[in-house]
Structure formats: C-alpha cells, structure tokens
Amino acid sequence: GSLADERLAQAGQLQLTWWRFKRHKLAVVSLFIVILFYAVAIFADFLAISDPHATDARRSYIPPQGIVLFDNGSFSPHVSGLKGVRDMKTFKLVYTPDPARKLPVEFFARGYQYNLFGLIPTDRHLLGISGGTPVDGIFLLGTDQLGRDLYSRLVVATRISLVIGLVSVGLSLVLGVLLGGVSGLY
C-alpha cells in the first residue's frame, strides 16, 4: 500500500539498514550472541567464581566438577567436597570428589575483592560455596598446574579478547576513513 511506500520514502539510511538487518534471523541471533559476550566481559569479575590469579599448589590439576542441582528430590544445589589421595606411583596428591561432603552453592556469595566497572569495590559473585576447606571450591573447568580456576581465568580473559577485536576494528575504521579521505582529496 501507499502507507508502506510513504514510510519507506521517509525512512533514513539507518532505519532502512535496521529493517533489512531484522529480516535476517541468523544476523539477529548473532547480534544477541555478541551482546552476550560483551556482557560477560563487562561483568567478568562478578561471574568468576574464584580469583583467577590466586595460586594454590594444593589444588593443581583438579578435574572439572559439576554442580548437582537436586538432592533427594528437592532443589538443593551443591558440589562435592574434595578428598586428596596420594598416588603411590607418582607420589602426587590426586583430588577426587567426596560425595559424603556436600558443599552448598550460594547465589550472590562473597568471594575475592574486585572493583565493579573499575569503580565500585565489592566482593559479591554470582556463585560461591559456603564452608569447606581451602582446597574446596567450584571448579567447573578444573584447575591448572598452579591451582588456578580455569573457568574464572577464561571468563576474565574474555575482556582481553573482545577489547583487542574492538580496538582493531576501530583502528581500521579510523585509518580507512583517514586514508580514504586523503586519497579522495588528491
């Protein structure tokens, strides 16, 4: 109809681009995924379970540990405590889950200190455990040789990866406009 034609004729370039973008479902899904990645980067310290830089040799090479959501038919999120057993061939301490020790998982738990948005000092994290020994924790992806939580390190590292991508795109845009303008002038 004429109403749609009139609306199309009055739309600006940005509006036309947005309408065309919305028609591609994969592009819209991809946009939300990129927004999710940047949200993780912004709230990385809040999402990190333990200090990504804290080392503890007692926790080296702990295997990935899952969160159990239900216990005896009721919603009771917990992780199993860890039990250290000495491997008699290598004499290394190997940690295995101890199902007898159930450590409750808390939402908005206290943890290591950080500055939210680089300004607000806080120690609240999305997940944490209450109680347990210094070796215990939530290790969704396990730990490395130095006993650092791999999940927390991965979440905090998203900042660096996404900032590098953003800076490189911004730099190429500025240089492209500058060099294009100079070449168009001459």
Side-chain angles (χ1 to χ4, degrees):
S2 64
L3 185 61
D5 291 338
E6 186 177 322
R7 201 171 137 211
L8 197 60
Q10 291 179 352
Q13 185 66 36
L14 191 60
Q15 185 69 42
L16 292 171
T17 305
W18 176 246
W19 286 341
R20 186 169 179 150
F21 182 81
K22 280 194 326 186
R23 288 196 345 230
H24 298 284
K25 301 297 180 208
L26 186 61
V28 173
V29 169
S30 299
L31 174 68
F32 284 115
I33 290 172
V34 168
I35 289 171
L36 178 70
F37 282 158
Y38 277 100
V40 166
I42 291 168
F43 296 104
D45 283 317
F46 174 72
L47 296 172
I49 296 170
S50 62
D51 187 354
H53 305 294
T55 61
D56 188 349
R58 295 174 297 179
R59 300 189 321 191
S60 66
Y61 296 123
I62 292 177
Q65 174 184 36
I67 297 176
V68 179
L69 296 177
F70 294 97
D71 188 28
N72 296 330
S74 65
F75 183 71
S76 174
H78 67 276
V79 292
S80 296
L82 296 171
K83 175 174 54 175
V85 178
R86 181 85 47 199
D87 183 357
M88 295 314 289
K89 289 183 181 176
T90 62
F91 296 110
K92 289 185 178 179
L93 197 56
V94 178
Y95 287 98
T96 56
D98 183 8
R101 290 181 49 230
K102 296 176 182 173
L103 302 171
V105 173
E106 295 179 336
F107 290 102
F108 306 108
R110 293 195 178 276
Y112 70 95
Q113 288 278 337
Y114 66 96
N115 291 328
L116 186 64
F117 307 120
L119 302 170
I120 307 164
T122 185
D123 65 350
R124 291 288 175 180
H125 299 273
L126 180 63
L127 294 176
I129 59 168
S130 57
T133 65
V135 176
D136 291 323
I138 303 172
F139 306 113
L140 297 176
L141 298 177
T143 62
D144 64 4
Q145 181 180 6
L146 300 176
R148 300 174 297 193
D149 180 28
L150 292 176
Y151 168 77
S152 297
R153 291 179 64 77
L154 182 69
V155 167
V156 171
T158 58
R159 285 182 179 159
I160 296 168
S161 300
L162 293 175
V163 165
I164 287 173
L166 200 60
V167 166
S168 65
V169 167
L171 190 62
S172 67
L173 177 71
V174 168
L175 286 176
V177 167
L178 184 68
L179 293 176
V182 168
S183 68
L185 184 66
Y186 291 105

